[in-house]
Amino acid sequence: MKLSSTLLFAISAVTAKGFAPIATVPTSRTSSLKGTASPTVEKESFQRSLLAAQLANKKTNGKKAEDAPPVNIGWDSHKPVDKAPDSLVRPGDGPDGNYPMRARFEQMIREAQISITDAIEKIDGKAKFQEDSWIRANGGGGMSRVLKDGAVFEKAGVNLSVVYGSMPQEALQAATERGVDRAKGMAPGERVPFFACGLSCVMHPRNPHCPTMHFNYRYFETDGGVWWFGGGTD
């Protein structure tokens, strides 16, 4: 059991490094890498919101899909690249010139992704992370790092994503806390353009007595200037 307690301590230290305290949305459910090429960046609540946006993009209040802003968040919108650009944030975008906040958060999680994967490799002592990068035509993209068949970890993933899309107002309300009108001032049926940037991680140790660990931290912002931090660890 010495390995388990040491590993748990290391995981706690690794995940805490590089993050300032932010608002969290804890969850009691765990995520899994089994059967997937890589873990997703968004938590389940965010995934449901994006799925709702994709479905609503087909038909919104009687409008044809081509009349609505593109969602562009499906895997078919990804274009693999050999190396991600220095920034996945569109230059100068954001409400009222809020580009610095978007760019700063992306830079912070890029540095966190590097430090976390380096620490995991040192703990494992055998396997190395392999990185896949992609971009999207309307902006954004991501970097997926996966380690497998290690001495300590059966599989681990640390993934970064920058997303531009739009969602119906109902999906925005479902993704936030009750009693808060994030779409205030928008016309009925009007879609909400958004920006999201996040870092997620799932680790599956080989030791059956050591639990799987997952975290997700993200910055979410609408083009109307509403923004918040979210995420959690379990």
Side-chain angles (χ1 to χ4, degrees):
M1 296 298 294
K2 182 177 180 180
L3 176 60
S4 298
S5 60
T6 302
L7 181 57
L8 284 171
F9 177 79
I11 289 174
S12 300
V14 169
T15 56
K17 183 177 181 180
F19 293 102
I22 59 176
T24 61
V25 181
T27 175
S28 59
R29 303 180 64 183
T30 57
S31 303
S32 174
L33 276 173
K34 290 187 176 180
T36 63
S38 63
T40 182
V41 170
E42 292 78 17
K43 291 286 285 183
E44 290 182 1
S45 61
F46 188 49
Q47 288 174 323
R48 287 194 295 270
S49 299
L50 297 188
L51 177 59
Q54 288 176 313
L55 294 175
N57 193 49
K58 296 179 181 179
K59 186 175 182 180
T60 305
N61 288 343
K63 296 181 180 179
K64 296 181 179 179
E66 55 266 26
D67 297 330
V71 178
N72 288 329
I73 51 179
W75 286 105
D76 57 350
S77 68
H78 294 184
K79 177 184 177 182
V81 292
D82 293 333
K83 185 179 183 300
D86 291 339
S87 177
L88 295 165
V89 178
R90 295 189 300 220
D93 73 347
D96 299 323
N98 200 29
Y99 168 79
M101 184 62 209
R102 298 182 178 191
R104 286 175 60 191
F105 190 83
E106 183 203 9
Q107 182 60 38
M108 185 187 77
I109 62 175
R110 279 197 179 209
E111 294 172 358
Q113 185 185 42
I114 293 172
S115 63
I116 291 170
T117 52
D118 285 349
I120 294 173
E121 286 182 349
K122 291 178 181 178
I123 293 171
D124 190 84
K126 174 186 174 184
K128 298 293 183 181
F129 279 93
Q130 302 298 316
E131 181 176 290
D132 292 314
S133 301
W134 66 90
I135 57 175
R136 297 184 180 93
N138 71 322
M143 294 175 286
S144 174
R145 292 188 173 191
V146 177
L147 173 151
K148 56 184 179 180
D149 300 325
V152 175
F153 296 101
E154 179 182 350
K155 199 167 187 180
V158 184
N159 299 332
L160 180 152
S161 184
V162 174
V163 179
Y164 290 88
S166 66
M167 62 170 63
Q169 297 177 34
E170 295 77 10
L172 178 62
Q173 293 169 356
T176 58
E177 65 264 34
R178 297 177 183 176
V180 177
D181 185 5
R182 300 289 191 184
K184 186 176 181 180
M186 299 191 71
E190 184 179 356
R191 296 181 64 83
V192 184
F194 71 85
F195 165 89
C197 180
L199 184 71
S200 70
C201 174
V202 179
M203 295 189 224
H204 285 284
R206 287 191 174 279
N207 188 331
H209 301 291
C210 187
T212 295
M213 192 283 297
H214 167 268
F215 74 74
N216 173 284
Y217 295 106
R218 60 185 176 272
Y219 173 68
F220 195 100
E221 181 183 296
T222 70
D223 281 8
V226 178
W227 59 271
W228 66 92
F229 294 98
T233 302
D234 53 83

